[in-house]
Amino acid sequence: MHENTINQITDPALMSIAEKVFAGARLSPEDGLTLLQSADIYTIGRLANHVRQNLHGHTTYYNINRHLNYSNICALSCKFCAFHRKRDQDGAYEYDMDRIRKEAITALDAGATEMHIVGGLHPFLPFDYYTEMLSAIRETAPNIHIKAFTAVEIVHLARISKRPNDIEAVLQDLKEAGLGSLPGGGAEVFDDRVHDEAFKGKIRSDKWLDVHRIAHKLGLMTNATMLYGHIESLEDRVHHFTMLRDAQDEAINNNHAGRFQTIIPLPFIPDNSELQHLPGPSGLDNLKMLAISRLMLDNFPHVKAFWIMQTLPLAQIALDYGVDDMDGTVVWYDITKTEGQGTHQEVTPTTLKTAIIEAGYTPVERDTLYYPITRDGKDWQRAEESMLLS
Ligand code: V47
């Protein structure tokens, strides 16, 4: 297989990278740039697939989840974002605790294992709103894992709870109220030029990484994203990979119970944003970014194709390009919608499973921490626990 791949390389610049991948050696930032500049998508895919097969064989993970965007009211107005509203603007909303409880009941009735919760940086809600939201979900649906709040929201919560320099205490409070892990959002691109142009006011890379470092120290698993295909350069993308890889090395070397689990490359969706004159990345860009994420982030266990942004057909193909996770059923999603699409963006578990099987892979339902699930309708448990009981 290695020989086949090497013989079919059309871009000679990829030769030494292929040798490193087959030897299990770490790729350098220069290798990352070479991969991003190469048009040899088949070789990049085969190399990423080699790593994916070593780690996960034919397994492809998915989950039954609910995304919950509790409010779109945001103090910031990032250019790439079509979600944010000011409080008095048309379409602005915030959920009260009754609505949050209702969402938890609906998630429970659907057999969901995870609620993924993010929102705008609301200028007026108090810190208690967030702890009450977590407690309300935990009381209503004790088994559901709560993956909530991007690092940007955590910094905002530290400010509104008047502890801007004590992220650790804030995360502890949230953990006690029910927080199970942090999603990967808000990382955008780790570069100050891009930051100041497209998302000024948001935290910079050092702060984003700090929040994740502290979460890892407290034993919380986290994810990471990269929002690409807008005004960033290929060098910026490489820098982003390197910073994430270094931060994961740090968590591993310090033996922290928390780590990064998954990288989720997010293709920029221009519709309705201030950057809608930009074309956004192509399908080939998306496949390349997923594959290169697999190759560069050798210490991240999982690569996710978020089908909402990648589309389900491309996510299927991406399984041959390094991806081992499809996210889940989602149901409601308000952050990105292409023209004509509403917030109801759902696939059924059967559709997800069928898509995975059709692509030649074995679907495995997982919980948020990647434990396989056994299920009887809406009742579920970790497979290892069901083995202990039998
Ligand atoms: O933080 C905002 C991004 C993120 C746009 O952790 C946009 O498992 C594309 O982080 N085009 C939220 N992206 C989504 C996210 C995520 C999704 C799925 C799984 C996980 C996980 C995390 O979406 C935001 C921002 O980076 N975003 N606007 C846009 N126009």
Side-chain angles (χ1 to χ4, degrees):
M1 173 194 168
H2 301 185
E3 219 165 275
N4 262 348
T5 301
I6 302 257
N7 288 340
Q8 288 171 22
I9 291 179
T10 59
D11 179 356
L14 297 187
M15 201 66 89
S16 63
I17 295 179
E19 278 161 11
K20 278 192 189 175
V21 171
F22 291 134
R26 177 162 276 196
L27 300 184
S28 66
E30 293 72 29
D31 294 330
L33 192 59
T34 304
L35 285 162
L36 284 166
Q37 287 166 337
S38 175
D40 191 353
I41 181 75
Y42 297 112
T43 300
I44 297 171
R46 273 191 219 106
L47 296 178
N49 192 39
H50 169 78
V51 178
R52 185 248 201 254
Q53 294 289 335
N54 278 348
L55 287 169
H56 306 291
H58 269 69
T59 295
T60 296
Y61 295 100
Y62 71 97
N63 68 354
I64 297 189
N65 66 353
R66 283 286 187 284
H67 282 242
L68 173 70
N69 304 130
Y70 55 90
S71 174
N72 60 356
I73 299 172
C74 189
L76 303 180
S77 311
C78 300
K79 284 190 186 167
F80 67 82
C81 175
F83 171 62
H84 66 89
R85 295 285 181 281
K86 296 298 166 215
R87 201 182 204 179
D88 52 2
Q89 221 180 327
D90 249 12
Y93 70 86
E94 69 198 39
Y95 288 175
D96 61 16
M97 288 307 140
D98 277 351
R99 176 67 190 263
I100 300 279
R101 274 196 199 88
K102 271 191 200 130
E103 294 292 333
I105 291 168
T106 320
L108 198 63
D109 287 345
T113 59
E114 168 187 284
M115 288 182 78
H116 177 158
I117 305 173
V118 293
L121 306 189
H122 198 297
F124 307 113
L125 290 173
F127 184 64
D128 289 353
Y129 172 90
Y130 300 88
T131 47
E132 276 168 28
M133 168 158 65
L134 296 170
S135 308
I137 296 170
R138 195 157 67 169
E139 279 156 23
T140 314
N143 289 341
I144 292 188
H145 179 105
I146 309 175
K147 181 169 88 180
F149 311 131
T150 61
V152 190
E153 288 166 277
I154 299 290
V155 170
H156 176 69
L157 299 193
R159 284 193 197 123
I160 61 173
S161 69
K162 308 220 167 9
R163 294 173 289 182
N165 298 319
D166 203 350
I167 298 291
E168 184 163 339
V170 172
L171 282 173
Q172 270 300 6
D173 285 356
L174 296 171
K175 209 175 154 194
E176 271 157 36
L179 180 72
S181 62
L182 295 188
E188 322 313 1
V189 174
F190 294 155
D191 178 76
D192 289 349
R193 176 195 67 86
V194 180
H195 174 277
D196 291 355
E197 172 65 26
F199 36 95
K200 203 178 172 87
K202 247 186 181 176
I203 55 172
R204 288 180 188 262
S205 50
D206 50 348
K207 204 77 192 155
W208 190 96
L209 287 163
D210 255 4
V211 171
H212 283 258
R213 270 192 203 105
I214 298 166
H216 295 159
K217 198 175 113 193
L218 294 179
L220 290 167
M221 291 296 187
T222 75
N223 289 340
T225 54
M226 183 192 322
L227 175 67
Y228 64 92
H230 43 97
I231 60 163
E232 86 290 358
S233 66
L234 297 185
E235 286 80 2
D236 296 334
R237 296 187 195 181
V238 173
H239 182 61
H240 194 102
F241 283 134
T242 314
M243 288 179 86
L244 286 177
R245 193 167 72 180
D246 288 352
Q248 180 78 320
D249 277 347
E250 207 180 304
I252 294 169
N253 293 337
N254 287 327
N255 252 326
H256 289 325
R259 306 264 166 98
F260 286 112
Q261 300 195 106
T262 311
I263 173 74
I264 308 115
L266 297 174
F268 169 57
I269 314 279
D271 305 50
N272 304 315
S273 76
E274 263 188 72
L275 298 176
Q276 62 180 336
H277 55 282
L278 299 176
S282 69
L284 281 179
D285 283 341
N286 292 342
L287 282 181
K288 252 169 98 172
M289 275 302 284
L290 290 160
I292 297 170
S293 299
R294 180 61 287 161
L295 292 168
M296 289 301 288
L297 295 177
D298 54 7
N299 52 9
F300 274 55
H302 302 284
V303 178
K304 180 186 287 188
F306 186 41
W307 62 265
I308 293 267
M309 296 187 194
Q310 302 283 1
T311 75
L312 194 55
L314 194 97
Q316 275 184 301
I317 300 169
L319 299 180
D320 284 339
Y321 285 73
V323 167
D324 64 282
D325 186 9
M326 289 265 219
D327 202 78
T329 43
V330 179
V331 187
W332 299 103
Y333 197 70
D334 203 17
I335 294 181
T336 52
K337 326 180 247 296
T338 44
E339 214 46 65
Q341 219 175 14
T343 50
H344 187 203
Q345 304 190 57
E346 177 173 9
V347 288
T348 63
T350 308
T351 306
L352 270 182
K353 274 192 277 188
T354 309
I356 294 168
I357 293 167
E358 193 191 21
Y361 288 84
T362 310
V364 172
E365 188 187 343
R366 61 162 178 91
D367 67 7
T368 309
L369 304 178
Y370 287 87
Y371 287 94
I373 290 297
T374 53
R375 173 175 292 284
D376 180 11
K378 65 179 184 151
D379 297 324
W380 57 271
Q381 58 189 330
R382 284 184 174 170
E384 59 177 27
E385 282 158 12
S386 68
M387 270 160 62
L388 285 177
L389 291 174
S390 60

